Amino acid sequence: MKYFNSTLGIYAACLCIFVTPNCLAESIEKNFIHTGPITQASFNTFQSAVNAGNVLGIELHDSNGASDWAPLLIKQYGELIVRHQLPTYVKGNCSSACAAIFLFGKKKIFLAANEGSKTFLHFHPVAYIFNDQTDASSTQEILHEILLRNSEYPDLKVLDWMYKVKDRFGGVLVFRDVKKAGGQIFFQEKYGATLVPLSPYTIDKLGITIE
C-alpha cells in the first residue's frame, strides 16, 4: 500500500487542498472532498464537517498517503467513517493511507478520473523511509482494523501480495478501468517493474463498485 510512508518514517506525501463539492465534476453534493496528503489537520477539518452534519460521504482525490503518523490517522478516519456509515469515493490516484481509508466506507465507489488520468488504488505494506524495510506486523494490524469495522467483510486476500514487494514503492494496484491484459488488479514488485495481473480476482471482492 502506498498507504504508509511519512516524514516520521512512514508514508509519502503531496500537497493538501480542500475544495467545495461544486468545484469538481462528478462529485456528489455535500460530500467532503479531500485532495493531497492525509494529515492531522485534514482529519480535523473532516471531523468538523461531519459533526456539523454537512457530510454525506468522503471523496478522496489524488492523494499519495499520509504526511503524519499514518496508522493513527487511518484509525481516526476509519472510526469516523464507520460511526456515521459514510460511503467513500475515489477519483484519480489514492495510495498508501488513502487506500486504507477508502476501504472503511459503507460503500466503496470508484469515480471516473479527470480526462487524461486514471482512478486507481495503490496498496503497499508499512515501509520505513530511512531503511526501505517493510513492516508486515503493522500492515496486518491495519488490515485487521479494516475487516473488524467493515460489516460486509470484503475479501482482502489479494492484498497479501504486498508482502512480496522489493521496495516501498511496489504493491497491489487496483484500477477502475479494465486493462486489456489482466483485468483490474495487479502486483508491482518495485517501482517501474512490470505489472503482473492478479486475475481472476475482481474488484467486487474488495467491495468496490463503479460509478
Side-chain angles (χ1 to χ4, degrees):
M1 310 168 186
K2 203 174 176 186
Y3 232 144
F4 318 109
N5 283 318
S6 80
T7 54
L8 297 176
I10 304 178
Y11 306 109
C14 293
L15 284 175
C16 186
I17 304 169
F18 289 92
V19 296
T20 59
N22 291 334
C23 292
L24 292 168
E26 296 195 28
S27 62
I28 311 302
E29 187 178 2
K30 294 193 73 174
N31 273 356
F32 181 88
I33 297 178
H34 172 85
T35 302
I38 309 298
T39 67
Q40 190 62 55
S42 75
F43 171 74
N44 293 343
T45 303
F46 174 52
Q47 184 179 47
S48 295
V50 171
N51 290 342
N54 295 328
V55 174
L56 297 179
I58 179 170
E59 294 185 32
L60 301 158
H61 293 204
D62 295 318
S63 174
N64 281 337
S67 62
D68 293 330
W69 185 253
L72 174 61
L73 288 167
I74 292 168
K75 183 176 181 180
Q76 288 178 326
Y77 272 90
E79 286 180 345
L80 195 60
I81 288 166
V82 171
R83 187 187 318 143
H84 292 272
Q85 298 186 325
L86 299 177
T88 52
Y89 301 80
V90 164
K91 183 173 183 177
N93 164 36
C94 180
S95 299
S96 194
C98 177
I101 290 166
F102 173 71
L103 290 183
F104 280 99
K106 182 177 182 180
K107 293 184 178 179
K108 294 166 275 291
I109 301 162
F110 276 180
L111 299 176
N114 293 329
E115 187 175 355
S117 61
K118 298 180 184 298
T119 289
F120 68 94
L121 303 170
H122 179 193
F123 297 94
H124 68 82
V126 170
Y128 300 98
I129 292 173
F130 57 86
N131 62 9
D132 215 28
Q133 295 296 307
T134 59
D135 184 343
S137 177
S138 294
T139 305
Q140 289 168 356
E141 288 178 11
I142 291 168
L143 294 178
H144 176 72
E145 189 75 17
I146 291 169
L147 289 172
L148 184 66
R149 296 181 175 276
N150 201 309
S151 60
E152 295 182 1
Y153 298 103
D155 182 356
L156 303 183
K157 290 179 182 177
V158 71
L159 299 184
D160 289 346
W161 277 82
M162 291 187 300
Y163 305 119
K164 300 178 184 291
V165 296
K166 294 295 179 66
D167 67 25
R168 59 189 171 86
F169 300 106
V172 174
L173 288 90
V174 183
F175 292 89
R176 179 181 186 272
D177 300 319
V178 177
K179 291 181 173 290
K180 290 182 180 179
Q184 292 168 281
I185 305 180
F186 297 82
F187 170 70
Q188 189 173 40
E189 186 176 63
K190 60 183 180 179
Y191 179 77
T194 301
L195 293 178
V196 178
L198 298 180
S199 56
Y201 208 96
T202 55
I203 64 169
D204 60 293
K205 291 188 176 181
L206 293 171
I208 299 171
T209 58
I210 293 175
E211 287 189 2

